[in-house]
């Protein structure tokens, strides 16, 4: 649940934090097969995420680490290594990004709707 710089990325730890994300990015939750009880918080360029119908996601990846602030990850494999997300599958690795994260009216960050990946 920690990035390579040792910063905590678990939703349970970050649910009350004010997280700065750049314009065009969304907070999403990733699930690691090695940490099934935890959701890891990630900042991902929304152009690389599917719409509500599982379509229109650009190929590729762009993400930032919300733990240490490192920006500009262009490959999901590189990003997943940085956030210590242990991947069990090679094709469609982005499917480890499972949930949109939403902030309640009380300011608590929590698991939102599933990301609709097709294929």
């Amino acid at each position: 649940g920690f990035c390579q710089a040792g910063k905590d990325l678990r939703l349970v730890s970050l649910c009350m934090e004010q997280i700065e994300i750049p314009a065009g990015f969304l907070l999403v939750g990733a699930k690691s097969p090695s940490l099934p009880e935890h959701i890891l918080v990630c900042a991902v360029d929304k152009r690389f995420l599917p719409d509500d119908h599982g379509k229109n996601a650009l190929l590729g990846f762009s993400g930032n680490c919300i733990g240490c602030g490192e920006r500009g990850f262009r490959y999901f494999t590189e990003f997943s290594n940085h956030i210590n997300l242990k991947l069990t599958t090679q094709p469609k690795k982005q499917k480890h990004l499972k949930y949109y994260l939403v902030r309640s009216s009380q300011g608590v960050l929590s698991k939102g709707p599933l990301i609709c990946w097709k294929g």
Side-chain angles (χ1 to χ4, degrees), residues 19-119:
I19 300 169
E20 293 285 323
I21 58 167
F25 279 68
L26 295 174
L27 290 179
V28 297
K31 291 285 275 188
S32 172
S34 61
L35 288 171
E37 69 280 3
H38 288 293
I39 295 173
L40 304 179
V41 180
C42 308
V44 177
D45 186 322
K46 66 182 175 184
R47 297 173 300 170
F48 297 97
L49 295 169
D51 62 20
D52 293 341
H53 307 290
K55 306 233 186 290
N56 300 320
L58 291 178
L59 292 176
F61 178 78
S62 178
N64 299 334
C65 179
I66 57 96
C68 69
E70 189 168 336
R71 295 173 173 232
F73 290 97
R74 296 279 173 234
Y75 299 99
F76 190 74
T77 303
E78 176 189 43
F79 181 70
S80 62
N81 287 337
H82 178 79
I83 65 170
N84 291 306
L85 178 64
K86 305 301 181 219
L87 302 177
T88 56
T89 58
Q90 282 306 310
K92 300 290 182 192
K93 294 180 285 281
Q94 278 101 316
K95 288 187 178 179
H96 286 278
L97 301 173
K98 295 285 189 195
Y99 308 99
Y100 291 102
L101 299 179
V102 294
R103 201 168 286 285
S104 73
S105 57
Q106 292 81 30
V108 178
L109 191 64
S110 64
K111 182 170 76 171
L114 278 169
I115 296 173
C116 181
W117 297 103
K118 291 285 187 200

